[in-house]
Amino acid sequence: MPAGPAPFCIRPRGVVRGAVLTLVFTGVLATAAATGSLPRQERSGPERPARAAPAGETVDRAALSRAAAAAMADGKSGKKAAEEFVSRSGDRWGAVYDKKEYAEFEQALGGAYTGVGLSAGRAGASGVRVTRVQPGGPAERAGLRAGDRLVSVDGRPVDGLSVSEVVSLLRGDGVPGSAVALRVERGRAAWTQTLRRARLATDPVTVRRLDDGAVLIRVAAFTKGAGTRVRDAVRAAPAGAGVLLDLRGNAGGLVAEAAVAASAFLDGGLVATYDVEGEQRAVYAEGGGDTGRPLVALIDGGTMSAAELLTGALQDRGRAVTVGSRTFGKGSVQMPSALPDGSVAELTVGHYRTPAGHAVDGRGITPDLAAEAGAEERARTVLSGLGGGS
């Protein structure tokens, strides 16, 4: 983060502002981090099966550390013991990573990673499917498409594995140029494709001018710098031009970046509240945002976590008309905990709410105007009606 005043802050209620927000609303990690599209700091719902325990149940971090230490004292794997502990806890979003994995995920926050350029997600009983292929990556050059079914990775069947485990197989040793063999099905066709991992970069924010003069800002993920990119795009937009903010398929990222993005459209004020192990805190936008420009936000079932936080702030505060379909409903807060063997557990410590106090976790956000097919056209029509187009 650049030097200077923080563009947002968190604070326990009643405490002076000033603490820099370091928490993450996690969601997309396993679906994308090393396979190829979205970087770490988010683990989306589809890649980790829901457990029977209530969504609000959290892990006792001290007990987790003791379990890992006890396993190591017995000559066993502390990481494995921690994974078993998290699995039993009912924390749907909790996960444990070794030191190398965690370092790779930290690098991916900057939008760079080693992978094959695809995102994977679980598709019900049909196994693991490709959900997105990054343009120009090894997967696209090999002809893979969204919707293809992954059968095996390097000969290991993926049915029965979590998407996190599939991601680990796809990532392999993380060395650019290393090979990975994918068994793929598309309809009745099946084949084995060998890909070479590559060092790839994501472009989380794309901006283009529409024919009617409005500006389309698409945010694929809230990686480092994404919030500033959004704010710069709004400031550079022609006077009077409306903004179509496309958050469809955005599985989240750093809440810090979502808060900066909110600051592009709000003149300070509340973005969200959340609790950390029972302590209530809040996220605020920076002042000076563009509050008059017409704004429509496009959302869908792939809009998750930090992207839902932004959506909720814009909707509750009457700043944007939301168009599309109900968002995913991932509103839990994760924090990393270092374990005795150097591995890291990311555990759920609380949940966030929109400025109006609405819970997001397990519920999602309902758009102002429902639209499935043709959602973008509907959104453009709404934006034009708000005076945001020619």
Side-chain angles (χ1 to χ4, degrees):
M1 182 177 296
F8 59 88
C9 63
I10 60 171
R11 60 175 179 174
R13 291 181 180 174
V15 177
V16 177
R17 296 191 190 187
V20 175
L21 180 62
T22 57
L23 296 178
V24 295
F25 290 107
T26 63
V28 301
L29 168 60
T31 54
T35 51
S37 77
L38 298 177
R40 184 201 168 266
Q41 296 295 74
E42 296 261 339
R43 279 187 296 283
S44 65
E47 95 272 349
R48 293 185 67 82
R51 302 184 177 96
E57 187 170 342
T58 58
V59 176
D60 183 330
R61 289 186 285 166
L64 173 64
S65 183
R66 289 194 297 269
M72 293 173 63
D74 290 339
K76 300 177 182 178
S77 168
K79 179 176 181 286
K80 185 174 181 180
E83 289 172 336
E84 293 173 351
F85 189 101
V86 172
S87 179
R88 291 193 303 269
S89 73
D91 185 345
R92 292 188 299 162
W93 311 108
V96 182
Y97 305 96
D98 64 31
K99 187 180 297 186
K100 180 182 177 182
E101 290 171 338
Y102 202 76
E104 289 172 350
F105 299 153
E106 291 289 344
Q107 287 184 347
L109 281 173
Y113 61 93
T114 299
V116 298
L118 64 81
S119 296
R122 185 157 296 283
S126 59
V128 177
R129 292 189 178 275
V130 176
T131 58
R132 181 179 179 273
V133 177
Q134 180 173 331
E140 186 194 50
R141 293 196 298 270
L144 271 66
R145 305 175 191 167
D148 288 345
R149 180 173 178 264
L150 291 180
V151 179
S152 66
V153 178
D154 282 337
R156 181 175 178 182
V158 299
D159 282 353
L161 299 181
S162 69
V163 176
S164 298
E165 292 170 313
V166 176
V167 166
S168 182
L169 293 175
L170 287 163
R171 181 173 59 241
D173 54 13
V175 176
S178 59
V180 57
L182 308 184
R183 183 68 177 172
V184 181
E185 288 184 355
R186 181 185 300 160
R188 295 183 178 180
W191 70 98
T192 298
Q193 186 83 46
T194 298
L195 307 179
R196 295 282 177 180
R197 299 179 180 94
R199 189 68 176 166
L200 301 170
T202 60
D203 187 2
V205 179
T206 55
V207 182
R208 66 184 176 93
R209 190 81 180 270
L210 301 177
D211 294 340
D212 61 2
V215 176
L216 172 63
I217 303 175
R218 171 164 173 72
V219 187
F222 284 108
T223 56
K224 287 182 178 178
T228 299
R229 292 275 303 279
V230 171
R231 190 168 56 187
D232 290 347
V234 173
R235 289 174 175 173
V243 170
L244 183 58
L245 182 64
D246 191 350
L247 299 175
R248 292 174 298 177
N250 183 323
L254 291 168
V255 70
E257 299 299 334
V260 175
S263 299
F265 305 104
L266 300 171
D267 186 15
L270 188 64
V271 173
T273 60
Y274 65 99
D275 59 282
V276 175
E277 297 175 333
E279 182 182 18
Q280 298 301 306
R281 304 185 184 187
V283 182
Y284 295 89
E286 183 184 31
D290 189 331
T291 60
R293 190 183 299 275
L295 175 64
V296 172
L298 264 170
I299 57 176
D300 66 5
T303 304
M304 301 173 61
S305 196
E308 290 177 285
L309 180 153
L310 174 58
T311 300
L314 297 176
Q315 185 184 62
D316 281 5
R317 296 185 57 183
R319 183 60 188 89
V321 176
T322 52
V323 177
S325 53
R326 183 186 293 271
T327 63
F328 181 81
K330 200 294 183 171
S332 56
V333 183
Q334 277 73 40
M335 290 182 67
S337 294
L339 299 177
D341 63 353
S343 57
V344 177
E346 283 203 341
L347 308 171
T348 299
V349 295
H351 298 82
Y352 74 80
R353 292 178 177 270
T354 68
H358 301 302
V360 174
D361 204 52
R363 301 180 184 183
I365 295 173
T366 302
D368 298 312
L369 294 174
E372 294 283 352
E376 184 171 331
E377 290 183 11
R378 182 78 182 276
R380 292 177 66 170
T381 299
V382 172
L383 187 60
S384 178
L386 294 173
S390 59

